[in-house]
Amino acid sequence: MRAKITYLVTAAVLVFYFVLVGSRGVMLIQSGTLLTVTFGVAVLILPVIGLWFLWKNTQFVHRANRLAAELDAEGGLPVDELKRTASGRIDRDSADEIFALRKAETEDRPDDWRCWFRLAVAYHDARDTPRARKAMQRAIALHDGRTIEA
């Protein structure tokens, strides 16, 4: 729940920032000189890109949470069997062991979104966020019946 609250607060702050920057861009355009209009248009591009990025990430999180809920209802969520250090961090060797199991499971059933979901969790536990995101994107695409690029 804390992660959701943090995400919502961060998103709200970003939207406020985008509105603030956008209003400055509009003010520059209203000045009417060639330089300020050009600069105003350039400033307006930043919030548009930011809003697009925020929207895509929000969609990703929503879809991943939907898969997690569905997998939980099926009883297929991965069990947390990782060893932890005294401070609570995941032990790297333990994460690597679980990752090897999840990778083998995914290689055996490459068209099963559930395997890709569990592999994404294993990547995340092994602190490989870019690959975790790619694996989750593949799980979402498989679940939605979309074609997947290799």
Side-chain angles (χ1 to χ4, degrees):
M1 185 58 144
R2 190 166 72 180
K4 286 182 181 181
I5 292 170
T6 302
Y7 188 83
L8 288 174
V9 169
T10 304
V13 169
L14 280 172
V15 168
F16 175 75
Y17 171 76
F18 297 149
V19 169
L20 187 65
V21 170
S23 69
R24 297 301 182 249
V26 170
M27 287 171 43
L28 285 168
I29 291 171
Q30 289 174 342
S31 295
T33 67
L34 179 61
L35 182 63
T36 59
V37 169
T38 304
F39 192 57
V41 169
V43 167
L44 281 177
I45 290 172
L46 294 174
V48 170
I49 292 170
L51 284 169
W52 174 83
F53 185 74
L54 182 61
W55 174 250
K56 294 305 270 184
N57 278 306
T58 302
Q59 280 184 320
F60 174 77
V61 168
H62 176 70
R63 289 176 180 152
N65 285 338
R66 186 184 61 190
L67 292 189
E70 187 173 330
L71 202 55
D72 187 29
E74 295 174 358
L77 275 179
V79 178
D80 186 3
E81 51 196 348
L82 297 166
K83 297 174 188 155
R84 302 195 184 267
T85 63
S87 64
R89 284 184 71 105
I90 295 172
D91 178 62
R92 182 68 178 208
D93 293 334
S94 175
D96 289 343
E97 279 179 38
I98 300 299
F99 172 78
L101 294 172
R102 299 293 180 227
K103 186 175 180 192
E105 175 189 36
T106 305
E107 288 171 349
D108 289 342
R109 296 185 315 208
D111 294 331
D112 187 357
W113 68 266
R114 293 161 187 86
C115 294
W116 283 98
F117 183 95
R118 288 188 284 266
L119 180 64
V121 171
Y123 270 126
H124 182 265
D125 291 341
R127 298 185 197 115
D128 191 347
T129 305
R131 287 191 178 127
R133 189 172 182 87
K134 287 284 186 192
M136 188 60 73
Q137 287 169 341
R138 182 168 283 230
I140 291 167
L142 285 168
H143 180 268
D144 295 346
R146 289 184 276 132
T147 58
I148 295 111
E149 305 161 4

